[in-house]
Amino acid sequence: MWKTLISKITGKQRETQSYATFYENYRNSYVTPSLKTSGVDQRFVVFDTETSGLDPKNAQILSIGAVKVQNMSFEIASSLSIRLKSNVIPTTEAVSIHGLVSSEQTGIEMNEAAGLFFDFIGSGVLVGHHVGFDLAMLNNLSLKHGGGPILNMALDTSMLARRLDNPHDPSSLNPKEYTLDKLCKRFSIIPKARHTADGDAYITALAFIHILHRLQAKGIHSLGQLMK
Amino acid sequence: MKNEIVYRVYDFLKEFPPFSFLGKDDLMKVSSQVTVTYLPEGKTLFNAGEAPQPRFFVVNTGAINLTDEQNKTVDICDEGDVFGIRPLIAHSPYLLSARATEETVLYCIPTAVFLPMVDTQPRIASYLATNFAAGMANMYSVKPDKNLLGQGVFSELITLDPAREPVYCDVSLSIQEGAQIMAKHGIGSLIICDSLKRPAGIVTDKDMRVKVVAGDIRKKENITLIMSSPVICVTPSMSIAELQITMLKNRISHLAVTEDGTPMTKLLGVISEHDLVVQQAENPAIMIKQIRQATDVKTLKNIRNKTSVLIGKYLTQEVSVPFIADIVSQVNDEIIRRTILLAEFKLGKHLYDEISYCWLALGSEGREEQMLLTDQDNAIIYMDNPSVPDIKDRCLALAGEVTGMLHEIGFEYCPADMMASNPMWCQSLKGWQETFSRWIHQPAEKEIMMCTIFFDFRPVYGDEVLVKELSVSIFENLDKQDIFLHFLAKNALKNPPPLSFFRNFIVEKNGEHKDSFDIKLRAMMPLADAARLLTLSKRISGTTNTFKRYQKMAETEPQNAELYRLAADAYEILMRQRTLTGLSAGDSGRYIRPDEMDKMARLQLRNAFQPIGELQDLIKVRFQVSSVL
């Protein structure tokens, strides 16, 4: 009673209000990785979401795929692949990209998906292609189901790839030249079965490892340097 | 829940042996346990002599160089190749070192999930054995020797040469006498048999060195003092794969063959690891591997010559002709692909990386029916590219190089110049679409002739999408121009079958081939033409092979299935006869001499003519050409 009163007065509601268990567990065990860790030793979580649209405000997550990358490797057995229950009919723009799916009744509930995802990522550094969009989608999912924002550091493969070509001003390069397809071609990654989220997580992981190696050759070794 | 990421691995692995032999559930199980790992160029994965990791490897992208202890390259593994599995079965250290020669992505597969499948799936064991043999053949640098155990490899079973009496030593003899036997026969190990000729033990060079020369056993002593027993025995009917796996598992290089596969029955023979390697050196799978690693025309020529030997062997063993033709066309395709790659490198690989083109095989090669070395028939189709104005010149330069190399290998230049090096046969997709459209809409005799060659096109190298698009537009043209099939039908009826063998057998009346019978023109072409016409009229695409065309027709028209089956059989008999003739005459086998054939072969041939007449009757009615003739 006092607690709620104080929190109302101080406006620090978030600090004291209890989150859903999945987020509590995640937040309590989260450890910020040291920026000195090398890119080889660091544990990364490369992930991708498939959504019903391209606007994070309205779109819903249809599926999530993720793999844990460490030592320039990842295990298929410890990958995450979930399909969410949704009633949303995807917008035409998303259909034209993903070529999917009207509505998915067979998937798991949203809150369960949020739990699985947060449990999976732990303290790993998140990696995605245009990761900002996926982060926004997952933050929304978390908030909607009693969780809080994602605390993990995040890297964008599109930006990292551009850093390869222009270390000083990567944003000046046209992102359209750095699509996942183009990266696959550049690194000779076999780009089959793209555009389900899981397939994208798999090739994003491969692209990321290829980029990581090349960045090392340019003297970018530590997590701190990668995050710059 | 279904994990989609597993499918990424599954979709890749299922294309490659030995994974292609696994059922879906098994392969999914394997795929789900894969670790995907990245090796930068120059990185060493393992060194010779190291204890094996509990996993083996498949190259996803990139290339791994396997070298022996002298740092000599033994094998190069690229996309889909498996390596590092031998030590796991043999429980021995790595024999070779593995290093990435370029940036490489590997799939690492835990042996524990895979090994149980080796025991239950004979095809996997067989594949692995072949794979090991490839490596060993390189290490021993053996040359194929037909006399040893000589039997076709695809039949897989080893048969002991009954004339080859096994060398053995009686238990009553001394070490010295045993050593003399080994020296006399030049062998490195000796089976010791009891008085009933049952294997009691085995003595190797090493036993002699360690136990006698360097040890304290005297050479006058009984040989059984230094033998190892029991001897690992096998039955006479085990496949090469099984033998190889048995040797690996027991870490031995000799197996005793006995009547029932135990030491309790009589010794029939001895099989050494070397025997297996020699036998497999003529394996088409290994030839294909050698082709992929060839760096000059001479090597390719040698391999192609070996193929001819193999064909002859298969034919005498009555292996089915479609099967032989399939193998030959795989070998030929691989030679062509390798030749193109070598030519690309010679002219500048980058020039060809940036364009989209496809190399087409035409005619008999396109139909996958080329058994002996015959003329080249090929073409190039490329995609116009505004940023590469000299694309046609690039393709022509490549074609000039490739056709020249193929000529050196033994595929002679096409006398009619139907080759990709001819600017008329090196066209853009649009150009080819127009050409076919012209042939179809204004069919004169020459155009029809072209069509019979060009309708049998098949992509061998490059961008197959171009070929698919061309096929689509050809079918569209056929839909608009039904009369074309009528012309094609007329052409298919040009050569009526010989009526009977003994009376109206049509032999060439004059010239070089006087008194011989043109088996290609009079018997094979009518069958191939009929198959092409019938499948085109049913709009069946994607197959050019005459056997397969008749098979498809039998499925499409069950009421005529019997006739189509007979036609396919006839084609097989004719192809066999032509190939045998060619092998003995050292030519294409086109002209056979009836007076030199034995009665059986003549009867077979006569029966083969039967369905030609019936097919031609069917075509006359169906395409209404009876009046024309």
Side-chain angles (χ1 to χ4, degrees):
Chain A
M1 165 92 175
W2 273 109
K3 268 187 181 172
T4 41
L5 196 63
I6 292 169
S7 70
K8 269 181 189 164
I9 296 164
T10 57
K12 282 189 178 173
Q13 196 172 348
R14 276 268 173 246
E15 290 293 315
T16 48
Q17 185 199 34
S18 61
Y19 287 108
T21 324
F22 79 84
Y23 191 78
E24 265 322 321
N25 292 343
Y26 156 75
R27 197 177 62 148
N28 290 336
S29 59
Y30 183 79
V31 182
T32 311
S34 157
L35 290 177
K36 286 182 189 145
T37 318
S38 84
V40 175
D41 296 333
Q42 176 60 44
R43 191 168 72 79
F44 297 96
V45 173
V46 184
F47 78 111
D48 192 39
T49 60
E50 175 192 41
T51 60
S52 62
L54 298 180
D55 176 6
K57 273 184 228 140
N58 312 319
Q60 266 189 20
I61 298 177
L62 302 175
S63 73
I64 305 172
V67 298
K68 292 174 183 171
V69 171
Q70 198 167 18
N71 287 323
M72 312 296 261
S73 304
F74 56 94
E75 290 173 7
I76 300 296
S78 55
S79 59
L80 178 77
S81 169
I82 45 185
R83 196 149 277 281
L84 284 71
K85 206 174 251 183
S86 96
N87 324 319
V88 181
I89 296 164
T91 62
T92 333
E93 50 185 336
V95 172
S96 67
I97 292 173
H98 293 300
L100 17 109
V101 208
S102 55
S103 65
E104 192 71 49
Q105 299 301 337
T106 55
I108 60 170
E109 297 295 343
M110 303 252 197
N111 56 346
E112 199 187 333
L116 285 172
F117 180 75
F118 277 91
D119 185 45
F120 185 84
I121 61 174
S123 306
V125 173
L126 297 178
V127 180
H129 201 69
H130 299 300
V131 74
F133 173 77
D134 300 278
L135 283 177
M137 290 301 302
L138 284 157
N139 273 330
N140 287 347
L141 179 74
S142 172
L143 294 174
K144 253 183 235 163
H145 296 93
I150 291 170
L151 305 170
N152 304 48
M153 296 183 202
L155 289 168
D156 179 3
T157 39
S158 161
M159 192 54 85
L160 290 175
R162 280 178 275 168
R163 265 175 84 181
L164 280 178
D165 295 342
N166 188 347
H168 303 297
D169 190 10
S171 328
S172 68
L173 294 172
N174 183 358
K176 284 193 177 144
E177 294 301 316
Y178 295 87
T179 60
L180 214 39
D181 280 333
K182 293 210 164 139
L183 293 185
C184 281
K185 211 166 234 174
R186 177 165 170 181
F187 302 135
S188 307
I189 297 166
I190 304 168
K192 270 178 216 148
R194 245 176 58 67
H195 283 310
T196 69
D198 317 306
D200 279 3
Y202 171 95
I203 47 182
T204 309
L206 279 181
F208 173 64
I209 296 173
H210 281 81
I211 295 169
L212 204 57
H213 173 70
R214 283 165 176 72
L215 286 172
Q216 282 166 14
K218 289 183 185 285
I220 299 172
H221 293 283
S222 70
L223 180 59
Q225 288 170 307
L226 284 168
M227 291 299 302
K228 260 180 200 163
Chain B
M1 187 179 24
K2 189 169 98 172
N3 183 328
E4 297 281 345
I5 296 176
V6 181
Y7 275 95
R8 296 302 307 242
V9 176
Y10 173 86
D11 283 342
F12 176 81
L13 290 180
K14 76 173 170 18
E15 301 295 325
F16 298 98
F19 308 103
S20 49
F21 307 139
L22 288 175
K24 183 163 184 192
D25 289 348
D26 278 345
L27 186 50
M28 280 303 279
K29 205 158 112 193
V30 170
S31 304
S32 70
Q33 296 301 315
V34 160
T35 296
V36 183
T37 200
Y38 169 95
L39 297 178
E41 183 184 337
K43 172 101 175 169
T44 298
L45 183 65
F46 55 74
N47 280 308
E50 284 176 15
Q53 304 173 20
R55 50 191 197 162
F56 65 99
F57 309 93
V58 185
V59 179
N60 176 233
T61 55
I64 295 285
N65 209 356
L66 298 176
T67 54
D68 63 15
E69 275 163 345
Q70 282 78 49
N71 210 17
K72 191 179 141 243
T73 298
V74 172
D75 204 355
I76 297 166
C77 299
D78 58 14
E79 194 178 306
D81 284 341
V82 175
F83 65 96
I85 195 166
R86 182 191 167 94
L88 299 170
I89 295 177
H91 302 289
S92 60
Y94 287 120
L95 286 175
L96 304 170
S97 303
R99 195 172 52 85
T101 48
E102 53 189 78
E103 190 170 44
T104 298
V105 174
L106 290 179
Y107 286 173
C108 315
I109 301 175
T111 324
V113 258
F114 190 69
L115 274 193
M117 298 172 192
V118 178
D119 289 335
T120 54
Q121 310 258 358
R123 293 183 72 191
I124 293 185
S126 155
Y127 171 80
L128 292 177
T130 308
N131 212 10
F132 303 151
M136 285 197 296
N138 279 324
M139 271 191 275
Y140 293 162
S141 63
V142 286
K143 291 187 187 69
D145 177 352
K146 276 184 288 175
N147 299 324
L148 272 168
L149 296 165
Q151 209 210 3
V153 171
F154 257 72
S155 53
E156 293 225 341
L157 291 182
I158 283 225
T159 43
L160 291 162
D161 183 353
R164 201 172 152 220
E165 178 66 17
V167 177
Y168 69 98
C169 165
D170 194 86
V171 281
S172 62
L173 298 183
S174 69
I175 293 173
Q176 185 171 27
E177 284 166 312
Q180 281 161 356
I181 294 174
M182 287 169 79
K184 184 180 159 204
H185 291 92
I187 50 178
S189 67
L190 185 62
I191 304 279
I192 316 299
C193 288
D194 64 13
S195 55
L196 295 172
K197 210 178 158 186
R198 298 180 303 193
I202 184 166
V203 169
T204 64
D205 266 345
K206 198 178 164 200
D207 294 324
M208 292 282 180
R209 283 199 311 273
V210 175
K211 296 175 185 166
V212 184
V213 180
D216 53 7
I217 298 176
R218 284 170 300 128
K219 59 185 182 182
K220 296 284 180 208
E221 305 260 18
N222 186 262
I223 188 128
T224 53
L225 272 181
I226 60 166
M227 73 181 187
S228 316
S229 60
V231 184
I232 307 292
C233 294
V234 293
T235 62
S237 58
M238 279 173 86
S239 71
I240 294 180
E242 289 169 310
L243 295 169
Q244 198 125 36
I245 300 282
T246 308
M247 285 185 190
L248 278 170
K249 276 188 170 159
N250 294 292
R251 266 176 284 174
I252 50 175
S253 56
H254 290 80
L255 296 169
V257 183
T258 59
E259 280 165 353
D260 73 347
T262 73
M264 302 313 292
T265 49
K266 228 172 90 179
L267 179 74
L268 298 175
V270 183
I271 292 171
S272 72
E273 192 175 30
H274 184 259
D275 292 339
L276 296 184
V277 173
V278 165
Q279 176 137 4
Q280 297 213 328
E282 283 181 28
N283 183 326
I286 290 172
M287 286 185 186
I288 283 181
K289 225 173 156 94
Q290 290 168 340
I291 293 169
R292 288 187 183 152
Q293 291 169 11
T295 50
D296 56 44
V297 169
K298 212 177 124 217
T299 313
L300 291 172
K301 188 184 167 98
N302 284 340
I303 298 171
R304 185 57 185 81
N305 287 343
K306 272 203 278 182
T307 317
S308 298
V309 176
L310 192 67
I311 297 170
K313 233 159 109 176
Y314 283 161
L315 283 173
T316 53
Q317 286 176 27
E318 302 272 319
V319 176
S320 94
V321 170
F323 176 81
I324 306 173
D326 189 31
I327 289 183
V328 174
S329 86
Q330 283 185 42
V331 170
N332 284 350
D333 283 3
E334 208 57 53
I335 290 178
I336 295 169
R337 282 194 278 268
R338 190 67 194 168
T339 308
I340 295 172
L341 203 70
L342 291 176
E344 279 187 351
F345 271 99
K346 186 171 170 189
L347 297 168
K349 182 92 174 70
H350 60 280
L351 293 176
Y352 297 95
D353 283 344
E354 60 190 34
I355 64 172
S356 165
Y357 75 94
C358 189
W359 184 275
L360 303 178
L362 312 173
S364 65
E365 204 183 314
R367 290 196 304 271
E368 300 174 84
E369 289 163 13
Q370 204 174 50
M371 299 272 267
L372 301 164
L373 288 164
T374 51
D375 303 338
Q376 302 181 35
D377 287 313
N378 46 47
I380 281 182
I381 176 170
Y382 58 84
M383 188 51 122
D384 269 324
N385 183 342
S387 61
V388 188
D390 65 336
I391 186 161
K392 182 155 188 155
D393 293 335
R394 286 190 198 182
C395 289
L396 282 172
L398 181 79
E401 204 56 55
V402 173
T403 51
M405 285 158 83
L406 289 176
H407 180 75
E408 270 183 71
I409 292 167
F411 301 93
E412 282 181 29
Y413 288 127
C414 173
D417 202 15
M418 282 189 200
M419 294 189 292
S421 49
N422 177 344
M424 279 166 71
W425 309 141
C426 175
Q427 296 196 59
S428 65
L429 174 61
K430 202 158 157 277
W432 276 119
Q433 284 170 333
E434 283 164 9
T435 302
F436 269 99
S437 171
R438 201 177 62 240
W439 285 343
I440 290 170
H441 288 279
Q442 300 153 26
E445 197 169 347
K446 183 170 153 264
E447 280 72 22
I448 293 287
M449 215 270 286
M450 295 297 181
C451 285
T452 62
I453 292 171
F454 273 86
F455 269 127
D456 297 342
F457 63 80
R458 187 171 59 84
V460 176
Y461 179 94
D463 192 351
E464 294 185 13
V465 174
L466 295 171
V467 178
K468 286 196 186 113
E469 281 191 38
L470 181 58
S471 292
V472 169
S473 72
I474 288 172
F475 280 130
E476 280 169 7
N477 270 311
L478 285 179
D479 288 340
K480 282 184 240 154
Q481 182 75 352
D482 241 8
I483 186 88
F484 173 75
L485 289 178
H486 175 84
F487 284 103
L488 209 56
K490 245 169 80 177
N491 179 68
L493 298 176
K494 224 166 48 185
N495 294 303
L499 294 178
S500 140
F501 211 101
F502 303 106
R503 281 176 296 123
N504 296 334
F505 199 84
I506 303 166
V507 290
E508 305 304 312
K509 290 201 178 62
N510 38 39
E512 190 192 340
H513 303 292
K514 191 168 174 300
D515 294 332
S516 58
F517 172 68
D518 186 341
I519 193 172
K520 179 185 172 191
L521 185 76
R522 317 289 323 199
M524 296 180 71
M525 263 174 56
L527 281 170
D529 286 345
R532 180 185 312 109
L533 168 68
L534 290 164
T535 44
L536 275 176
S537 75
K538 293 289 171 195
R539 304 290 188 268
I540 297 170
S541 69
T543 174
T544 53
N545 182 267
T546 303
F547 298 110
K548 289 181 190 150
R549 278 175 167 163
Y550 280 119
Q551 213 176 326
K552 285 258 159 98
M553 284 309 294
E555 288 162 21
T556 316
E557 292 174 11
Q559 70 276 20
N560 293 322
E562 181 62 14
L563 175 58
Y564 295 140
R565 198 184 54 74
L566 285 173
D569 287 350
Y571 202 69
E572 170 163 7
I573 290 166
L574 295 166
M575 216 160 132
R576 181 185 294 274
Q577 191 56 52
R578 179 178 174 186
T579 312
L580 284 171
T581 309
L583 281 174
S584 67
D587 60 18
S588 73
R590 177 169 178 174
Y591 298 97
I592 61 170
R593 296 186 63 97
D595 48 342
E596 286 174 7
M597 292 169 66
D598 65 38
K599 185 158 186 213
M600 192 58 212
R602 279 200 280 187
L603 270 176
Q604 270 194 332
L605 259 194
R606 192 182 64 176
N607 291 340
F609 299 149
Q610 206 72 37
I612 303 179
E614 285 182 43
L615 271 174
Q616 294 196 341
D617 288 343
L618 181 144
I619 289 171
K620 270 181 217 164
V621 175
R622 185 172 292 182
F623 300 93
Q624 296 165 9
V625 273
S626 48
S627 55
V628 184
L629 287 171

